[in-house]
Amino acid sequence: MRDQTIGEFLEEMSARVPAPGGGASAALHAAQGAALVAMVARYTTGERYAAHAAAVGRIAAAADDLRETALRLAAEDATAFTAVTDAYRLPKGTDEEKAARSAAVAAALEGAARPPAEVVGVAERVVALAEELLPICNRNVLSDVAAATEAARAAAGTARVNIEINLGGIKDGTVRAGFSATASAAGPLMDRADRVTDAVRREIAP
């Protein structure tokens, strides 16, 4: 996935194949948000921003790491969802086969919920970096701070539904509750992203 062109990836996503799908899309939203934060940070350098050099350097490095994490999660999501479809294809002709299939499906659904759950965490960190960068960044790229949080917002919202669709089939109540809590955290995170965008829009309004 990392080495595909954008066109190739979108062609594969549009095909009737199990993956990549919404989970990979969520991860790529997060990766784009992280990349935009890093770009704004790298425009916030030089003598004019010397007082913030340490913070800006840390933000850029953290954003680069988040971008790589998000790309890894995109690939992991595709693999995990393929495991779900494989589990549903298992035979169910006997009671033993039904039990084995049910266990395999539950395990696969748990695995499929993990990448989007991690994407919510990545999106939260992207928004946090954007919040930190907002008051000190180069105002010529201010709109890109909002673009970063909008991408993180899309990542969180998309990841949330990709967690929720798997919850019903996860049998372990503790695991299910943990994923449910992560999905619930996406809403407040999206509100934080909205506040960054609103702040940017107020500043750039004519």
Side-chain angles (χ1 to χ4, degrees), residues 4-93:
Q4 287 180 303
T5 66
I6 294 172
E8 289 168 345
F9 175 77
L10 294 176
E11 185 70 23
E12 188 174 1
M13 182 172 280
S14 69
R16 187 171 173 169
V17 294
S25 178
L28 287 178
H29 283 311
Q32 291 178 84
L36 284 162
V37 167
M39 182 266 283
V40 172
R42 291 190 169 98
Y43 270 107
T44 308
T45 57
E47 184 177 350
R48 183 176 180 182
Y49 306 101
H52 306 295
V56 167
R58 174 178 49 76
I59 290 169
D64 288 343
D65 288 343
L66 290 171
R67 186 185 74 236
E68 290 301 310
T69 298
L71 286 175
R72 171 180 59 77
L73 291 171
E76 288 181 5
D77 182 86
T79 300
F81 191 75
T82 299
V84 173
T85 60
D86 289 345
Y88 276 116
R89 292 192 184 107
L90 291 173
K92 50 181 178 177

Side-chain angles (χ1 to χ4, degrees), residues 129-177:
L129 292 177
E131 289 170 334
E132 185 178 0
L133 192 56
L134 176 61
I136 62 174
C137 75
N138 184 332
R139 297 345 250 178
N140 292 322
V141 286
L142 182 62
S143 63
D144 292 298
V145 179
T149 55
E150 288 296 305
R153 187 188 194 286
T158 306
R160 177 172 60 185
V161 295
N162 278 274
I163 296 168
E164 291 172 340
I165 197 170
N166 293 302
L167 291 178
I170 297 175
K171 296 182 177 181
D172 187 314
T174 301
V175 172
R176 187 171 58 250

